[in-house]
Amino acid sequence: APMTPVLADFLTKLGWSGICVGPMKPPPGNEDLLQFVHLDPAEAKDQSQIDELLGETGGLVPSPPTFPLAFVNVLFNVNEDSSLLDPYDDDYEEKLKERQEQEAEAEAQAKKTTGKKKKKDTVVQENAELPPVPPSTVAGYGVVGLTRHHRVRRRLRAIKNCLAITLGRLAKDGSLVMV
C-alpha cells in the first residue's frame, strides 16, 4: 500500500525527511522532503537493485548510509494478484482454458464490431515452467519454508526485502515503525 498523505504530512511536519523506496510514489506535496526510488520489493526483476541498497555503495540510495527512523508498510491488497493464474493451483488447466476461450470470444466480438483484430492491452504471465520438484531427501522433514504458490512467494519476498533493507540501513538506536 502506498504512503498515505496523512502519514507523509505527519512525518515531514515533525521535521523528518527521507527516501521512499517502493512501487508507488508518495502523495504529492512533500517532494522537497521525500525522495522517491521506484523499486518493488516483491518483484524478482528488482532484486539485484534491492540487494545493492545493502551494499557498501548503497545502490540507488547512496547517502545517508543509515537512517534514525525507518517506516515499513507491508500491508497487502488481497485482490492484488487475482488476475494472474497460478500454475500450482489444482484447477489451473481449467482456468487457463476458460480464460483463453473468453479472450477468443472477446477477440471475435471485437473483430466483428471493428473489423480489426483487437490488440492485447495487458501482458499476463502464464504457462510458466514449474520449478523442479524438491529432492526426496526432505520428505521426512516436512516442507517448512517451501511454498508453491506464486502469490505467497511474492509477498514473502516483499516482507524479506523490506525487513532486510530496513534493518540494514537503520542507525544505531534508531526507531523502526512497521505496519
Side-chain angles (χ1 to χ4, degrees):
M3 180 182 279
T4 64
V6 174
L7 177 65
D9 290 340
F10 174 72
L11 291 174
T12 54
K13 285 179 182 173
L14 286 176
W16 293 100
S17 62
I19 299 167
C20 179
V21 177
M24 294 178 237
K25 279 188 168 185
N30 295 303
E31 293 85 359
D32 56 330
L33 298 172
L34 293 175
Q35 177 187 347
F36 174 64
V37 176
H38 186 268
L39 288 177
D40 189 349
E43 287 293 331
K45 65 179 176 138
D46 290 343
Q47 188 64 48
S48 63
Q49 290 178 320
I50 287 171
D51 291 341
E52 288 177 10
L53 291 174
L54 294 171
E56 290 185 24
T57 62
L60 296 173
V61 184
S63 63
T66 59
F67 295 90
L69 172 68
F71 178 83
V72 181
N73 182 351
V74 288
L75 295 176
F76 293 99
N77 180 354
V78 293
N79 298 321
E80 168 186 46
D81 295 331
S82 62
S83 64
L84 294 177
L85 295 181
D86 192 341
Y88 290 107
D89 287 343
D90 294 334
D91 57 349
Y92 170 72
E93 286 84 12
E94 296 167 12
K95 288 180 179 178
L96 179 62
K97 191 173 188 178
E98 182 181 327
R99 178 174 285 172
Q100 289 171 341
E101 288 172 358
Q102 289 173 351
E103 288 175 355
E105 289 175 13
E107 199 170 293
Q109 185 68 21
K111 191 175 183 180
K112 285 181 184 177
T113 58
T114 62
K116 296 180 182 177
K117 199 172 185 178
K118 184 180 176 185
K119 293 182 180 179
K120 290 185 178 181
D121 294 336
T122 59
V123 176
V124 178
Q125 296 177 350
E126 295 174 350
N127 293 332
E129 291 184 24
L130 299 177
V133 177
S136 61
T137 56
V138 298
Y141 302 103
V143 288
V144 174
L146 176 68
T147 178
R148 293 180 10 178
H149 296 283
H150 170 73
R151 293 178 192 104
V152 175
R153 285 193 312 267
R154 179 174 155 70
R155 291 179 180 142
L156 287 173
R157 182 185 311 114
I159 292 170
K160 176 194 74 124
N161 286 334
C162 288
L163 289 175
I165 293 168
T166 303
L167 294 174
R169 299 291 291 264
L170 190 63
K172 185 177 179 183
D173 297 328
S175 299
L176 171 62
V177 178
M178 185 182 297
V179 177

